[in-house]
Amino acid sequence: LPLFADSLGVDSDLLLGDVLSAISGFLLGARQVYNARIVQGLHPAKLLLSQAVFGTVVFAASSVIFESDEYLWTGRLLVSVLYQGALIAGFGFIGNLWLIQRYLPSQVSLLSLTQPIFAVVLARIVLGEALSSTLWLSVALVVVGASLVQRNGIRLRMPGNRR
């Protein structure tokens, strides 16, 4: 929040995007908790495959209905989609489901919280961007939040959790 404090306010052009981002974050968290419950009695690959098939059908149908721009399927596009969908997303989701079988969703979600920290470090290394005090405060707050979640007092075992 401190990182974005200077851009906070009610701007009608951005409010819808902010609301949609907040809803998306809530739904992502709810999905993580829901998947953690389901995956306790189901192999992660089966859960991923069912979600992928359902999602592909819904998005393909939505594309036919709502998209008007023409596109051309090429071999390169097909390889790109398969690489991104099967290898990158597939292994990433399987890894995530494997982790939430063994750990609480809040602990697994900490991995995604480290992404902005690495982005800041890489922006400094690769692009030479300046690191402001607000940016360092934001990184520190992420680290403090992560350590609070990882404290022994917060580690609760979910029913059926095999640790």
Side-chain angles (χ1 to χ4, degrees):
L1 185 61
L3 182 59
F4 302 107
D6 58 341
S7 64
L8 289 178
V10 179
D11 183 354
S12 61
D13 293 338
L14 304 176
L15 188 58
L16 178 61
D18 293 343
V19 169
L20 291 175
S21 292
I23 291 170
S24 175
F26 171 78
L27 290 174
L28 185 61
R31 179 179 177 258
Q32 185 84 332
V33 171
Y34 179 72
N35 281 346
R37 295 286 184 193
I38 288 180
V39 81
Q40 296 304 321
L42 187 66
H43 193 276
K46 289 181 183 177
L47 179 60
L48 175 64
L49 186 60
S50 65
Q51 290 176 343
V53 167
F54 178 77
T56 300
V57 169
V58 169
F59 284 122
S62 298
S63 176
V64 169
I65 294 169
F66 297 110
E67 297 287 331
S68 59
D69 293 339
E70 299 262 341
Y71 56 89
L72 176 64
W73 278 98
T74 63
R76 185 175 181 187
L77 176 61
L78 181 62
V79 168
S80 299
V81 169
L82 290 175
Y83 170 74
Q84 180 67 29
L87 290 179
I88 304 301
F91 285 123
F93 284 126
I94 289 288
N96 186 49
L97 292 173
W98 181 84
L99 286 170
I100 62 176
Q101 267 186 327
R102 290 153 179 81
Y103 302 98
L104 289 173
S106 59
Q107 293 170 325
V108 174
S109 295
L110 289 177
L111 292 174
S112 63
L113 291 177
T114 61
Q115 291 174 352
I117 295 171
F118 288 115
V120 166
V121 171
L122 285 174
R124 172 69 178 152
I125 293 170
V126 175
L127 301 174
E129 291 189 6
L131 302 178
S132 67
S133 58
T134 306
L135 190 60
W136 283 113
L137 175 62
S138 300
V139 168
L141 288 174
V142 169
V143 170
V144 167
S147 32
L148 286 175
V149 170
Q150 290 298 324
R151 283 191 352 218
N152 286 335
I154 296 179
R155 290 185 185 191
L156 302 173
R157 293 181 67 180
M158 293 176 53
N161 200 353
R162 299 180 299 243
R163 277 208 271 185

